[in-house]
Amino acid sequence: MEHLGKSKEIATKRFMGLERRLTANPEMKALYTEFIQEYLLMGHMREAREEEEPIHSYYLPHHAVMKPGSTTTKLRVVFDASCATDSGVSLNDTLIVEPVVQDDLLSILLRIRLQKYAIVADVERMYRMINVVEQDQPLQSILWRESVDQPIRMYQLSTVTYGTSSALYLATRSLKKCAEEGEQAYPAAAKVVKRNFYVDDMLTGAKSVKEGQSLCRDVSSLLSSAGFNLRKWHPNQPAILKIIPRYLRDKREVLDIDSSSTVKTLGLCWEPATDKFWFKMPLWKQSLPITQRIVLSDFARLFDPYELAGPVIMQAKMFL
């Protein structure tokens, strides 16, 4: 950590630029402020005084990612741990990136087809349900103020932060640890948590309605014992939902697979009523020129684990 250098000056300049953009967009500023306030109210960050500033610290620049199609979070604040300090080193450069501990998405999707009924749900704020040890929290410092009339204050994030290179491993490994510790009490649920999660999205199934209801109940109990809350439940058999409170159900007709992604939309969707998979294809405007840059951008967003969209992707490749 001694190679991190100074980051506060850089973070301050980035924050001033963010503040100007938020001032010019009152709606975004309101959502941004609400997001930060939620962090404070939930105890996921705390204000740090000047005299508390440790020798080894790192200030995370942050910005907004809008998700208009989200049913829960229209705006998410993303923290940039890849921002280099005056030494040319960022926090992400100093963190160890451990290997993936979950199965690949294709294996999980194929496994669902072995069951009569499919069930999906996701973990609410999974990263933020995992605490970071106190001595490491200064490395997740941020700058914030609600109004230009106030002084810029320093805060420290106390939970796993999206944007750090180790976040994915810490979150998914925590899920696996929860499954390992609850395996004796909830054997079937522990197996689901170990094998049928893609990041924070659960994609599993059951052979009967009764088995599906039992699985939903046990997985919820297992994860809640570690502070994880499952929401956006949606099976392709409505009878399974009877044991799930209405406020935890997902009412959408078409669901995004890996809807937790904040930077890009993977494009694979599932329609529970018909049990069909859909692909989000780019809608080009005929009145505008279709440039190579546009095709490259849209082509990069095509996500096809089943390799069913090959003919469309091939046309894009031929065009390029």
Side-chain angles (χ1 to χ4, degrees), residues 135-153:
Q135 58 264 34
D136 290 338
Q137 292 176 13
L139 295 169
Q140 297 188 149
S141 299
I142 69 166
L143 301 173
W144 173 251
R145 64 180 174 184
E146 293 186 11
S147 171
V148 294
D149 300 328
Q150 300 174 348
I152 298 177
R153 292 185 171 91

Side-chain angles (χ1 to χ4, degrees), residues 16-33:
M16 298 302 289
L18 167 69
E19 193 172 52
R20 286 192 292 270
R21 291 192 295 274
L22 293 179
T23 301
N25 189 335
E27 182 181 359
M28 180 182 288
K29 182 178 181 179
L31 291 172
Y32 208 102
T33 302

